[in-house]
Amino acid sequence: MPFSNFGLGKEILRAIGKAGYTRPTQVQTAAIPKVMQGHDLIAIAQTGTGKTAAFVLPMLQRISKANQDGEPRGTKALILAPTRELALQIMENIRAYGDGLPIRVAAVFGGVEEEAQIKAVRKGVDMIVATPGRLIDLIGRQKIDFSLLETLVLDEADRMLHMGFLPDIENIVSGLPKRRQTLMFSATLSKAIESLARRFLYQPKMVQIGKRSNPADTVAQCVYEVPGHLKNVMLLELLRQADFKRVLVFVRLKDGANLLTNFLKLAGVKVTRLHSSRSQEQRLKALQDFKDGNVQVMVATDIVARGIDIDSVSQVVNFDFPVNPEDYVHRIGRTGRAGASGLAVSFAASSDQRLVTDIEKLIKTKIEIEPMEFEEDQPRKDQGRINDGRRM
């Protein structure tokens, strides 16, 4: 089915073509008609499947038609996202898909001065993309009017719940018009998500792409038992392999990200880092350098585990084993995207067996922790070589 079958306007179809898209993805094919018909929707799909266009394209079509028909201008759509990086990415997509349309959009998120955001909203916008915390602040100060709102989107809803945003979401939704369309997009369908849907959505349609709560089939997974004091050395061994070209390394804490980044720099690795203590400018530059291939490695906390669209990540390395099983799923989902193959390598201590068991229950797949052999605090030359999930 081509995009033209969805009833989208000529300007939107032109913008889609300009952006390089020829045919819709599975989630777009399943979701767009339902959204266009005005249904509430729960869409469950792994990241990298085109979820953003599935809700942005129908909203652009609806708002552009309303504007052409002379309906009152105001904020018609609100998109909530868990992180500012994802909010900015959604903004970029809206501008790309709405290229040529007189539709105004603003982003509202923390970590930057709020005056510019307030000024943008005061000028009048059709769509707002926001993180919950900053939005709550502006709503409390009566800086935003949602009286004309027609559509609410909860993007990466499961992640927002894990980050503790439920009270903020409840506060925001309580002040929105009762008669609205609500769309919920998530990579997993947990009991918490089902509970949220029952509270905020009205007779929602369901779209589910792929296996429930399961990582992409294109990602080979390896878990190796590595002593904590030798993880740095093991990571360097991996990075010296020719096929480790664009590697996303996850750590638990931002201090750990700083230490590992400094270690890799001293070892001659081109590396950047991304975590919550970095400024907005630094975070955007880190993402761009990684996307452009200016660095081989990006060391990050879970701030980029969900929603951020980074193409061609060759490998994901869980330097610190994740405590939350769903974080594991989303971390490894950064590779093996859009049908490409990927590899996820995890370093686990012997004490992490319980965490591995929890992940196995979630993804319904057995994962063996394989011991790594070391001699004189160095990996043996015949150990640690990894290719498509197997040691060589």
Side-chain angles (χ1 to χ4, degrees), residues 28 31-32 35 41 50-61 78-80 90 93-94 127 129 151 153-156 181 183-185:
Q28 291 162 7
I32 289 177
V35 179
L41 179 76
K51 288 186 291 183
T52 302
F55 61 80
V56 167
L57 295 180
M59 287 193 297
L60 288 173
Q61 176 64 28
L78 169 63
I79 303 165
L80 290 179
I90 294 171
N93 288 333
I94 291 173
M127 307 172 71
V129 187
T151 305
V153 179
L154 303 176
D155 194 21
E156 298 291 341
Q181 181 183 41
L183 313 175
M184 182 183 296
F185 286 76

Side-chain angles (χ1 to χ4, degrees), residues 121-139:
V121 171
R122 278 178 176 169
K123 287 181 179 179
V125 293
D126 301 291
M127 307 172 71
I128 290 177
V129 187
T131 54
R134 173 59 61 87
L135 184 63
I136 282 286
D137 177 55
L138 297 191
I139 290 175

Side-chain angles (χ1 to χ4, degrees), residues 185-240:
F185 286 76
S186 176
T188 59
L189 183 58
S190 63
K191 290 182 179 178
I193 289 296
E194 292 173 340
S195 174
L196 194 67
R198 284 194 296 270
R199 295 173 60 189
F200 295 150
L201 279 67
Y202 175 73
Q203 296 182 351
K205 300 293 184 181
M206 171 71 77
V207 168
Q208 188 164 329
I209 306 300
K211 298 178 181 178
R212 177 171 172 163
S213 301
N214 205 33
D217 292 334
T218 53
V219 180
Q221 302 172 61
C222 311
V223 179
Y224 290 89
E225 185 176 325
V226 182
H229 68 288
L230 291 176
K231 288 196 292 186
N232 285 1
V233 177
M234 188 63 225
L235 179 59
L236 277 181
E237 282 290 301
L238 295 178
L239 296 178
R240 291 188 181 115

Side-chain angles (χ1 to χ4, degrees), residues 293-307:
N294 296 330
V295 296
Q296 178 190 8
V297 177
M298 182 161 72
V299 179
T301 55
D302 282 304
I303 193 169
V304 295
R306 302 193 187 205

Side-chain angles (χ1 to χ4, degrees), residues 54-207:
F55 61 80
V56 167
L57 295 180
M59 287 193 297
L60 288 173
Q61 176 64 28
R62 184 178 304 166
I63 293 172
S64 62
K65 186 178 186 304
N67 292 344
Q68 290 172 3
D69 293 344
E71 294 184 15
R73 296 292 292 265
T75 302
K76 302 289 182 65
L78 169 63
I79 303 165
L80 290 179
T83 66
R84 53 183 135 165
E85 283 76 18
L86 180 54
L88 283 170
Q89 182 177 291
I90 294 171
M91 269 267 292
E92 292 174 2
N93 288 333
I94 291 173
R95 287 172 174 165
Y97 304 148
D99 182 41
L101 295 175
I103 291 179
R104 294 169 294 195
V105 58
V108 172
F109 51 79
V112 296
E113 292 294 330
E114 63 183 22
E115 286 306 315
Q117 297 175 355
I118 294 174
K119 187 180 295 184
V121 171
R122 278 178 176 169
K123 287 181 179 179
V125 293
D126 301 291
M127 307 172 71
I128 290 177
V129 187
T131 54
R134 173 59 61 87
L135 184 63
I136 282 286
D137 177 55
L138 297 191
I139 290 175
R141 295 163 58 192
Q142 298 183 334
K143 301 295 184 181
I144 296 180
D145 177 16
F146 285 126
S147 60
L148 295 178
L149 188 88
E150 297 177 350
T151 305
L152 168 67
V153 179
L154 303 176
D155 194 21
E156 298 291 341
D158 49 352
R159 184 58 175 168
M160 285 196 284
L161 293 184
H162 290 150
M163 293 175 70
F165 282 133
L166 179 58
D168 286 344
I169 293 172
E170 291 173 332
N171 193 340
I172 292 166
V173 173
S174 68
L176 300 180
K178 302 301 181 185
R179 296 190 64 177
R180 65 174 189 273
Q181 181 183 41
T182 304
L183 313 175
M184 182 183 296
F185 286 76
S186 176
T188 59
L189 183 58
S190 63
K191 290 182 179 178
I193 289 296
E194 292 173 340
S195 174
L196 194 67
R198 284 194 296 270
R199 295 173 60 189
F200 295 150
L201 279 67
Y202 175 73
Q203 296 182 351
K205 300 293 184 181
M206 171 71 77
V207 168

